[in-house]
Amino acid sequence: MEQIAEITISVLLVAAGIFGLVGSFGLIKLPDTMTRLHAPTKASTLGVGGVLLASMLYFWIMRGQLSWHEFLITMFILLTAPITANFIAKAHMHRFGDKNTMPDTGTPRDWATFEDESKEMEPVMTRVEPKPKVTASDHQF
Amino acid sequence: MIPYALTFAFGCFGLSLLFNLYRIFVAPGVVDRVLALDTMVINIIALLVLYGINTHSAVYFEAGLLFAMTGFVSTVAYCKFILRGDIIE
């Protein structure tokens, strides 16, 4: 049992180290900010998650004391990572993003973050009606 | 076996911290610096937990939790400042 736990903990630690390194390497390797935003998510989920899981197993099996601190830290990081990513992307779009190169939203409304405040209370789900297709049978009559 | 794996993980996360430091000094824009600081906090949490395993003490988990909280708040404050020029309006 001890042997299996030792192997599991070691594998988790090595995998977490590799993922953390990959995340930070992507931060300096990838070409622009929006792609660079993607790299550290590996470090924050798999890297730190692996380390915390290894620590939990270590203190549980090797030391005989189950601690919930690691679980708390994991939950906190998993909850806050999307929020920080959203904020950073928004800051980048407003500071450096070009509004004309953004893809179309598919609705009459603009991207929510670029919208002026007077439109903010309007309903969101107003889709553009697709134009009726001109089929071959229409032309015959 | 665990001490070797711990040393390896320490090396990996230390190297990641150096990469982040490089990105903070050499960055095309201010947003990249904020992103690098956020990643740095994540790596520091991992290092703290690893150090806790190394010294068999549970004190470092509380430090990691505090780092997670202050890291999140500081990243949001930076982004808010870049966006609006003010943190609490």
Side-chain angles (χ1 to χ4, degrees):
Chain A
M1 187 62 195
E2 291 258 315
Q3 192 76 30
I4 296 169
E6 206 169 323
I7 290 170
T8 315
I9 292 166
S10 304
V11 166
L12 275 172
L13 282 175
V14 169
I18 288 171
F19 272 114
L21 194 58
V22 162
S24 292
F25 183 64
L27 197 66
I28 55 173
K29 174 81 174 136
L30 290 172
D32 64 291
T33 307
M34 284 309 225
T35 49
R36 248 179 255 136
L37 196 56
H38 151 84
T41 53
K42 260 83 249 155
S44 68
T45 54
L46 292 168
V48 179
V51 169
L52 293 166
L53 206 60
S55 151
M56 219 168 171
L57 278 177
Y58 179 79
F59 279 97
W60 184 26
I61 294 173
M62 300 287 178
R63 300 263 141 197
Q65 48 189 23
L66 183 58
S67 68
W68 291 98
H69 301 281
E70 294 95 332
F71 186 70
L72 273 179
I73 300 175
T74 318
M75 285 316 291
F76 194 80
I77 288 176
L78 286 184
L79 283 176
T80 56
I83 304 172
T84 51
N86 185 22
F87 260 102
I88 290 171
K90 217 164 147 183
H92 175 257
M93 275 165 82
H94 276 273
R95 205 172 169 89
F96 301 106
D98 187 8
K99 213 172 153 183
N100 300 319
T101 59
M102 304 242 167
D104 192 29
T105 54
T107 59
R109 298 186 60 179
D110 199 3
W111 282 72
T113 179
F114 288 124
E115 208 161 48
D116 50 340
E117 283 183 13
S118 59
K119 282 189 183 174
E120 252 170 30
M121 295 314 287
E122 285 178 17
V124 178
M125 297 303 286
T126 45
R127 294 209 163 274
V128 184
E129 290 300 320
K131 285 175 188 168
K133 278 183 184 171
V134 180
T135 52
S137 57
D138 289 337
H139 290 291
Q140 285 175 356
F141 300 103
Chain B
M1 197 193 298
I2 290 177
Y4 295 108
L6 264 179
T7 315
F8 179 78
F10 267 125
C12 281
F13 281 106
L15 199 59
S16 313
L17 271 180
L18 282 181
F19 283 162
N20 293 338
L21 201 61
Y22 169 79
R23 182 43 84 194
I24 287 173
F25 280 117
V26 184
V30 66
V31 184
D32 286 285
R33 292 200 168 95
V34 177
L35 184 58
L37 277 172
D38 190 47
T39 317
M40 208 173 205
V41 169
I42 298 275
N43 285 330
I44 286 170
I45 294 166
L47 274 180
L48 275 173
V49 175
L50 286 175
Y51 195 69
I53 300 177
N54 203 15
T55 54
H56 317 305
S57 90
V59 179
Y60 295 95
F61 298 128
E62 266 112 59
L65 200 55
L66 280 177
F67 255 87
M69 286 175 180
T70 48
F72 168 66
V73 172
S74 61
T75 309
V76 170
Y78 273 130
C79 288
K80 197 83 180 145
F81 185 74
I82 293 168
L83 270 174
R84 310 281 294 177
D86 204 357
I87 297 168
I88 301 168
E89 294 175 55

